[in-house]
Amino acid sequence: MLLKHLYDFAQSRHLLDDLAFAPKAVRWIIELDADGNLLGEGPQITGDDKRGQEFSCPQTTRPKVAGGVSEFLADGLTAVFGLDPDPDAKMSAEKRASRDRNNAAKQTDFWHQIEEARKVPDVPDLNAVLAFRQRLGGVTPKLLRWGKAPDAKADAKSAWWLRTASGGEVRLGPENFTFRVNGRLLLENETLRQFWRTQHSTEVDGARSGYQRGLCLVSAREGQPLAPTHNPKIKGVPNTQSFGAAIVSFDKPAFGSYGFDQSLNAPASEDAATAYCVALNWLLGQDDHSLRLGQTSLCFWAAQTEATGSLFARLLNKPDPQSVAQFLRSPWAGVERELAKKDQFFAVTLAGNSGRIVVRHWLQEPLDQAIDHFHQWFADLDLFVPSRPILKTGKKPKASAKATEFHPLSVYWLACTTVREMKDLAPDVPAQLYRAALEGSAPSISLIKPILDQLHSKLVRDENYQLLYDQSRFSLLKLILNRNRKNNTMEIKPKLTADTDDAAYNCGRLLAILATTQDKAHEYKLEGAGVAERYFGTASVSPASVFPLLLRLNRHHLNKISKSERFGGHERFIEEEIQAVCALFKPEKSGQPPVFPRTLDLQAQGRFALGFYQQQAADAAARQASKKNNSEIETK
């Protein structure tokens, strides 16, 4: 079904109208005059990055696996100049000879195509390109140099260096060249483009002439030429080769059956195979239809409603508070609800495995359900976060370089809470989050452990960690707990729940109050690890072994506050707050005093962490409100 819907998408969006061309990055333009003389000291650069600007370039259908095949008008160092990308590479004489033959064949193919195109009338600019080729004379041109940088160390590796139009040298990578004659870019010449369409059609017809015919499982049409391999390759999926990979492939006898070879084991017509590959490449290249997270990529689209792509992409990738609030108020803004009831929403999660692409998850559901699930996703992530303090300069504190850069409710930052570094993210984590957002499913309870492990690590080791503004971690924790809630387990609300009898949540609250008491006793100038940093891990797993000790130590902090000139008298309110929380614990047996739980399971540890966070957030908000009131009184 996935391939069929991709096939339909390619047809409906007219992605197959001009398959002879495809977007390709070209970094260097060789500027020539009408006689084929190089203008400037070298090629012109097309962009600031290492790939260059993308152009609509001719695309051959001939297989490149065996070598000796080049692209028309735009290709790399070997095709244009006949040079090996690494002349010093160590290899056997036999392999070197084979590689040299391939390089020569590729260069010959590149210039042969230009010679064939010269036969087309009204394209005199090709004469200049061929004159440039003749001046090369089969030797390395002066604008290219193999060697080291002028200031390189003795053990530095050699590379190709290119002299640019400005006279400077740039290290050359796997980059493409093309030509411009008297200011006219050959890639944009419509006569040459029409020539290539004819060549492309000839290539396709020639390839299909030898194909076996039969029933296409994608389009359900009979008598179709069946593709032995599915092309073009799909590019942009993590952990795949730079030239792309395939979803459908059979390259070993064990994958065949009943004597069928390659993709004839799952027959698809050449048209259908091309269509779904083109569709998937297009989706992966569109910011409004795809997201990449760690080692996975997500593509999504609606069968009819095009506006939903940007909506889902924006809210999955960059959900700023204003856009989320607007979506929660008006989830159907810009989308006709009646049409959405009839439309279908699709999403596929992909990961790479060298030459193959793995479909991690495939989703198909009515579009209105997808929007409703997305609405519920943000409702479940909703969590009160105190506002950041504003300094007199009007700027927020720079405790973290990423504090004002990230979007805490984006799938990327939510997933980051489970790992120390993004490279360590397991592929199933983003897949679970995508499903939770788009399908309304519950992420695994097992995700709670890495979230809490990283929280504990930051509390202990990261002196710049600001727990109050770690919205991603606690929002995701809230969503996981609420969606996996069973029986009479407490439901976590966006703000502090002060009247719950949930022991784990109240233990977290109590630790937060004790930590705040310690901070106040030291007038918020405590150096080194405090109560939270030292005891959070143990208290969240085995509260009964820690809290009696912490309550005894807290007497010292209360006494210190009572003697403070700044906070004297506050100890009474703190004691009342502690007593109010302790009164919520239930005794194990009737007639006995309340006790702290001996152990907490994984979900209870999650509620402990949220109780700790929400108590601290409520206290911080109360302090901010008090300061604001005091400043208003002073102003009056």
Side-chain angles (χ1 to χ4, degrees):
M1 291 301 291
L2 166 62
L3 303 187
K4 175 64 166 64
H5 290 303
L6 287 169
Y7 169 78
D8 292 341
F9 179 81
Q11 300 286 348
S12 65
R13 300 302 197 275
H14 305 288
L15 301 181
L16 307 176
D17 290 352
D18 203 356
L19 292 179
F21 299 89
K24 185 166 74 171
V26 179
R27 194 181 188 198
W28 303 104
I29 295 180
I30 300 173
E31 298 269 5
L32 303 175
D33 64 14
D35 296 324
N37 298 309
L38 180 67
L39 300 178
E41 297 193 37
Q44 293 276 359
I45 194 168
T46 65
D48 296 332
D49 61 28
K50 294 182 179 180
R51 298 175 64 249
Q53 182 181 337
E54 278 198 348
F55 295 88
S56 175
C57 296
Q59 179 176 248
T60 185
T61 61
R62 293 176 294 161
K64 297 182 179 180
V65 179
V69 175
S70 64
E71 298 285 3
F72 180 53
L73 289 180
D75 212 320
L77 179 75
T78 302
V80 178
F81 300 105
L83 300 174
D84 193 290
D86 187 3
D88 293 344
K90 295 181 179 180
M91 61 184 70
S92 66
E94 182 181 354
K95 190 172 182 181
R96 169 53 68 186
S98 174
R99 184 157 159 170
D100 289 343
R101 285 194 298 271
N102 268 335
N103 291 342
K106 187 167 186 177
Q107 185 190 26
T108 299
D109 186 61
F110 179 83
W111 291 104
H112 174 73
Q113 292 180 80
I114 293 178
E115 289 173 352
E116 288 296 309
R118 186 173 57 169
K119 298 176 184 177
V120 177
D122 303 324
V123 193
D125 291 344
L126 288 181
N127 293 325
V129 176
L130 290 170
F132 170 78
R133 164 74 177 101
Q134 189 173 7
R135 287 191 178 92
L136 292 179
V139 298
T140 303
K142 294 181 179 180
L143 55 87
L144 286 163
R145 175 179 70 85
W146 175 259
K148 302 176 182 178
D151 57 348
K153 296 180 180 179
D155 59 346
K157 292 184 178 180
S158 294
W160 282 109
W161 294 83
L162 176 72
R163 189 170 68 242
T164 66
S166 61
E169 264 196 341
V170 175
R171 182 171 179 166
L172 198 61
E175 300 151 13
N176 293 313
F177 295 81
T178 193
F179 298 91
R180 184 157 48 203
V181 179
N182 282 345
R184 296 182 293 271
L185 189 66
L186 296 189
L187 287 174
E188 296 175 351
N189 185 296
E190 191 53 42
T191 303
L192 287 178
R193 292 177 72 83
Q194 189 56 46
F195 161 80
W196 181 250
R197 290 187 183 98
T198 303
Q199 292 294 106
H200 184 270
S201 178
T202 302
E203 285 184 5
V204 171
D205 292 342
R208 292 183 180 180
S209 63
Y211 287 176
Q212 181 175 329
R213 292 182 173 269
L215 172 66
C216 172
L217 297 183
V218 177
S219 63
R221 294 177 180 175
E222 296 182 350
Q224 299 296 304
L226 302 178
T229 59
H230 293 190
N231 288 303
K233 296 295 184 184
I234 297 161
K235 300 179 181 180
V237 178
N239 286 335
T240 57
Q241 303 290 346
S242 59
F243 54 79
I247 284 184
V248 179
S249 64
F250 301 81
D251 67 345
K252 290 181 175 62
F255 301 152
S257 58
Y258 299 101
F260 292 119
D261 188 31
Q262 293 185 309
S263 295
L264 295 180
N265 289 277
S269 69
E270 178 74 7
D271 287 337
T274 300
Y276 86 74
C277 291
V278 167
L280 203 48
N281 276 322
W282 187 89
L283 290 167
L284 286 165
Q286 302 295 314
D287 291 339
D288 286 350
H289 290 276
S290 65
L291 294 173
R292 177 170 175 169
L293 184 60
Q295 304 305 311
T296 59
S297 291
L298 173 74
C299 296
F300 43 86
W301 71 97
Q304 303 175 45
T305 313
E306 295 189 28
T308 56
S310 58
L311 168 70
F312 283 93
R314 184 178 71 254
L315 292 178
L316 280 172
N317 198 26
K318 297 181 179 180
D320 60 86
Q322 292 78 13
S323 62
V324 171
Q326 178 62 33
F327 177 71
L328 289 173
R329 286 194 300 268
S330 306
W332 294 95
V335 180
E336 294 185 22
R337 189 153 193 169
E338 290 305 314
L339 176 60
K341 289 181 180 179
K342 303 174 184 177
D343 203 355
Q344 288 288 305
F345 178 79
F346 308 99
V348 58
T349 305
L350 306 172
N353 182 13
S354 188
R356 292 185 178 83
I357 293 174
V358 180
V359 178
R360 293 280 181 187
H361 181 65
W362 162 243
L363 167 67
Q364 176 183 348
E365 64 180 349
L367 179 58
D368 61 337
Q369 288 186 19
I371 294 178
D372 286 340
H373 289 151
F374 209 39
H375 182 273
Q376 188 59 45
W377 162 259
F378 284 110
D380 288 344
L381 289 173
D382 186 25
L383 187 71
F384 170 72
V385 179
S387 59
R388 288 177 175 270
I390 305 297
L391 304 180
K392 292 182 179 179
T393 59
K395 297 180 180 180
K396 297 177 182 179
K398 295 183 178 179
S400 170
K402 298 180 180 178
T404 59
E405 297 174 2
F406 74 161
H407 299 274
L409 298 185
S410 68
V411 173
Y412 174 87
W413 284 104
L414 292 171
C416 279
T417 63
T418 64
V419 290
R420 183 180 177 185
E421 297 181 12
M422 196 59 184
K423 65 180 180 65
D424 300 326
L425 184 67
D428 70 301
V429 174
Q432 288 192 52
L433 298 186
Y434 291 146
R435 292 188 63 186
L438 302 175
E439 203 173 342
S441 62
S444 171
I445 295 173
S446 63
L447 287 181
I448 296 175
K449 188 176 189 312
I451 292 173
L452 295 182
D453 286 345
Q454 293 304 315
L455 169 62
H456 187 225
S457 175
K458 287 182 176 295
L459 282 171
V460 174
R461 296 183 176 87
D462 187 353
E463 61 181 13
N464 294 321
Y465 177 59
Q466 293 183 310
L467 177 137
L468 281 177
Y469 309 113
D470 193 357
Q471 182 180 1
S472 305
R473 186 176 313 280
F474 292 100
S475 290
L476 180 57
L477 196 57
K478 170 177 174 282
L479 179 140
I480 295 173
L481 289 171
N482 283 346
R483 290 199 178 183
N484 287 283
R485 192 165 64 94
K486 295 180 180 180
N487 302 326
N488 296 322
T489 307
M490 172 190 179
E491 179 182 1
I492 307 296
K493 303 293 184 181
K495 291 187 176 182
L496 177 70
T497 304
D499 58 353
T500 181
D501 60 359
D502 186 89
Y505 185 84
N506 288 327
C507 282
R509 289 185 59 201
L510 183 57
L511 181 64
I513 296 170
L514 297 178
T516 302
T517 305
Q518 184 185 40
D519 287 340
K520 185 170 286 190
H522 290 82
E523 299 192 356
Y524 296 101
K525 297 178 182 179
L526 179 65
E527 295 182 1
V531 167
E533 293 79 8
R534 290 178 181 273
Y535 295 101
F536 185 93
T538 306
S540 65
V541 176
S542 181
S545 66
V546 174
F547 278 107
L549 169 64
L550 295 181
L551 289 172
R552 287 196 298 271
L553 293 174
N554 192 60
R555 296 304 314 169
H556 167 71
H557 299 141
L558 291 174
N559 291 334
K560 194 171 183 178
I561 292 173
S562 67
K563 299 174 184 178
S564 169
E565 294 183 3
R566 181 181 176 186
F567 298 116
H570 288 200
E571 72 279 359
R572 296 193 302 274
F573 300 106
I574 296 173
E575 280 195 281
E576 290 175 1
E577 192 174 20
I578 291 173
Q579 290 173 3
V581 174
C582 288
L584 297 172
F585 290 96
K586 296 179 179 179
E588 289 185 349
K589 294 182 180 180
S590 178
Q592 293 183 352
V595 294
F596 297 108
R598 295 180 182 178
T599 58
L600 298 178
D601 61 22
L602 192 58
Q603 287 176 279
Q605 291 173 38
R607 296 196 300 277
F608 176 98
L610 279 163
F612 179 82
Y613 174 83
Q614 292 190 321
Q615 182 65 54
Q616 289 222 333
D619 291 344
R623 289 194 299 270
Q624 291 173 1
S626 177
K627 287 181 180 180
K628 183 178 179 181
N629 291 336
N630 292 337
S631 63
E632 289 177 352
I633 293 173
E634 290 176 2
T635 302
K636 293 179 180 179

